[in-house]
Amino acid sequence: MVSVMPRVLVATIGFDEKFVIRALIRHQEEIDAFIGILSRPVDQRAAQAADNIKGFIERYVRDRGRSLAYRFEEVDPSDPYLAISSLKKLFKQEDEYILNLSGGMRALVVETLTAFVASRARGVIEIELENFTGRIVIDPRVLTASPLNAEEERIVAAIRKLGRATYKDIIRETGIPRTTVFKHLSSLRSRGIIAYQREGRTTYYTLTDIGKALS
């Protein structure tokens, strides 16, 4: 039997619940739990937003036959290192997370992001655009990826230029010896910077989202 990691939606909460409710609607079929993060002391408007989120979960999510555990956590953003330490405890290695940073005060958002990255938890970061035209999704490994050395930069640049490339294409573009190219390709793959696909007897290398960000 394949083990499925529990998926948790974590969201920073400000004076308006709309971003959190939109995230709950968007992810309701794929999440098992919700954690809302509030700044302490809790402003009356933020408390009302949290109450509205609770009501939404009770009325909408559960009425649709979904069982969704939820809780709210409070941290004091004025002490950033203590806040980060407290927030890190929310993220477990055995779970997978959707971290929504669309609402909440700036300090809380930065501290939550820092805690998530520092915890090395699995998941993605999402932020809705203020004009509601869409959202961005970021792989947190972009923030922890080790820098490319000079030869790796040339290989990544070659793949980006070509869109996808065989090792022969890379050697022709970079002038790097074959053995060295294969060594770097193996390292770049293990770090999630490139991916590969085989077509017949030919292997093509492409950049992942992390690779695109680093190139």
Side-chain angles (χ1 to χ4, degrees), residues 31-33 61-62 65-69:
I31 59 174
D32 304 289
V61 177
R62 291 187 174 174
R66 293 281 293 142
S67 176
L68 185 66

Side-chain angles (χ1 to χ4, degrees), residues 28-32 56-69:
Q28 62 173 307
E29 299 300 329
E30 57 181 321
I31 59 174
D32 304 289
F56 176 81
I57 292 173
E58 294 293 342
R59 291 192 308 271
Y60 180 80
V61 177
R62 291 187 174 174
D63 284 352
R64 292 172 67 87
R66 293 281 293 142
S67 176
L68 185 66

Side-chain angles (χ1 to χ4, degrees), residues 7 26-27 30 96-102 113 116 123-129 134-143 208-210 212-213:
R7 203 161 201 210
R26 184 165 55 248
H27 298 296
E30 57 181 321
E96 184 177 6
Y97 295 89
I98 302 168
L99 179 62
N100 186 289
L101 300 176
S102 305
L113 172 61
F116 180 59
V124 296
I125 302 159
E126 69 171 17
I127 304 172
E128 283 202 57
L129 303 179
R135 65 191 171 107
I136 61 171
V137 179
I138 300 172
D139 187 325
R141 292 177 296 173
V142 170
L143 304 175
T208 64
D209 290 337
I210 299 172
K212 292 173 184 176

Side-chain angles (χ1 to χ4, degrees), residues 173-191:
E173 287 286 329
T174 64
I176 300 172
R178 180 178 182 274
T179 302
T180 306
V181 164
F182 276 116
K183 180 187 72 174
H184 288 314
L185 289 174
S186 177
S187 174
L188 292 168
R189 281 172 49 200
S190 68
R191 289 148 58 194

